[in-house]
Amino acid sequence: VLGEKLYDVSLFAEGKNFASGRGEMSIREVYFSEFTSNPDIDPDFEYKYDPGFTPDENGYLINESFENGVGYFRSTINAVGRLDSSASYSGDTSFKLTNRREDSSYIYLRLGSTNFEPGKQLDISAMVMQDEFDYEALNFEIQYSLRNELPCMSNSVKFEKVIAPKGEWVELSNLNFTVPEDAYDLNLKIICDNTKHSFYIDDVKVALVE
């Protein structure tokens, strides 16, 4: 991890002991992204550090069923996140995390800071499903920074896990979550516990509690 801002990248080739010879180098497209190892899922996506979500008429900041794309949902670079039509809770598509190369890979949604000020209360829910193991544990996690700490440091609140039987959609939810004092730059993470199995999410909702 090189940090949030990377201004210059250099690649060097070095020959030692006055050796002779030749070398060839070809440069392909390089993606600097924390979103996904599959950048083609949404080539027109414009990265925003703080998306600045606006509540809809029902008070939802997020109400994503993946019928019109992946929205702001991304996977870590050690996996592939994409739309999938083989399984869905409602509608025709869901978001699937697959090709997980590490147990720590997950789906995440950058919430930012706008509308997520300390003290705000949120209702968070999502439908999740896995179809590779008899039972699997999944959970939410909110990651955030604190204003009195270095930006590279992170804190998290882990919500209670749910057990998802194979092939069944189950609900992850946390009602009345309060944004911690001095917290900013929030991220919502959806995690499958300690395995490299694929899983799906659908109907993700984040609402302000008035």
Side-chain angles (χ1 to χ4, degrees), residues 118-135:
K120 289 281 189 179
Q121 287 190 309
L122 307 169
D123 284 350
I124 306 170
S125 66
M127 302 305 298
V128 296
M129 192 267 282
Q130 62 85 24
D131 59 3
E132 297 187 22
F133 205 62
D134 288 342
Y135 295 94

Side-chain angles (χ1 to χ4, degrees), residues 64-80:
E64 185 60 75
S65 60
F66 305 106
E67 298 304 298
N68 297 304
V70 299
Y72 287 94
F73 287 81
R74 294 294 181 269
S75 70
T76 49
I77 59 175
N78 52 13
V80 173

Side-chain angles (χ1 to χ4, degrees), residues 38 41 64-71 81-86 93-96 200:
N38 182 14
I41 62 171
E64 185 60 75
S65 60
F66 305 106
E67 298 304 298
N68 297 304
V70 299
R82 58 162 64 100
L83 292 177
D84 191 277
S85 59
S86 65
T93 55
S94 62
F95 188 88
K96 183 179 182 180
Y200 305 78

Side-chain angles (χ1 to χ4, degrees), residues 2-32:
L2 297 178
E4 284 186 1
K5 295 182 180 180
L6 188 62
Y7 296 101
D8 183 71
V9 178
S10 299
L11 176 64
F12 298 93
E14 181 179 0
K16 294 186 177 181
N17 299 323
F18 302 99
S20 61
R22 64 185 298 272
E24 294 183 359
M25 180 182 299
S26 60
I27 300 177
R28 303 179 63 187
E29 290 181 286
V30 178
Y31 296 93
F32 292 93

Side-chain angles (χ1 to χ4, degrees), residues 6-176:
L6 188 62
Y7 296 101
D8 183 71
V9 178
S10 299
L11 176 64
F12 298 93
E14 181 179 0
K16 294 186 177 181
N17 299 323
F18 302 99
S20 61
R22 64 185 298 272
E24 294 183 359
M25 180 182 299
S26 60
I27 300 177
R28 303 179 63 187
E29 290 181 286
V30 178
Y31 296 93
F32 292 93
S33 172
E34 63 182 324
F35 296 138
T36 177
S37 56
N38 182 14
D40 294 330
I41 62 171
D42 193 356
D44 297 324
F45 179 83
E46 179 182 356
Y47 172 66
K48 297 181 180 180
Y49 186 78
D50 188 343
F53 300 105
T54 302
D56 64 16
E57 64 275 11
N58 297 314
Y60 289 114
L61 293 164
I62 309 295
N63 190 359
E64 185 60 75
S65 60
F66 305 106
E67 298 304 298
N68 297 304
V70 299
Y72 287 94
F73 287 81
R74 294 294 181 269
S75 70
T76 49
I77 59 175
N78 52 13
V80 173
R82 58 162 64 100
L83 292 177
D84 191 277
S85 59
S86 65
S88 63
Y89 179 73
S90 65
D92 299 319
T93 55
S94 62
F95 188 88
K96 183 179 182 180
L97 185 69
T98 187
N99 295 99
R100 298 175 65 195
R101 296 188 294 277
E102 297 179 20
D103 295 350
S104 59
S105 57
Y106 55 84
I107 296 170
Y108 74 96
L109 169 66
R110 169 151 279 174
L111 299 175
S113 302
T114 304
N115 297 119
F116 298 95
E117 298 91 349
K120 289 281 189 179
Q121 287 190 309
L122 307 169
D123 284 350
I124 306 170
S125 66
M127 302 305 298
V128 296
M129 192 267 282
Q130 62 85 24
D131 59 3
E132 297 187 22
F133 205 62
D134 288 342
Y135 295 94
E136 200 74 271
L138 295 101
N139 70 295
F140 279 142
E141 184 175 322
I142 294 286
Q143 187 178 49
Y144 60 93
S145 298
L146 290 174
R147 299 193 183 280
N148 60 348
E149 294 181 348
L150 294 173
C152 61
M153 300 178 66
S154 64
N155 304 269
S156 63
V157 176
K158 297 180 180 180
F159 300 158
E160 185 176 355
K161 296 176 182 178
V162 299
I163 302 300
K166 182 177 180 179
E168 294 184 21
W169 288 93
V170 297
E171 184 179 20
L172 284 174
S173 66
N174 187 278
L175 305 181
N176 294 320

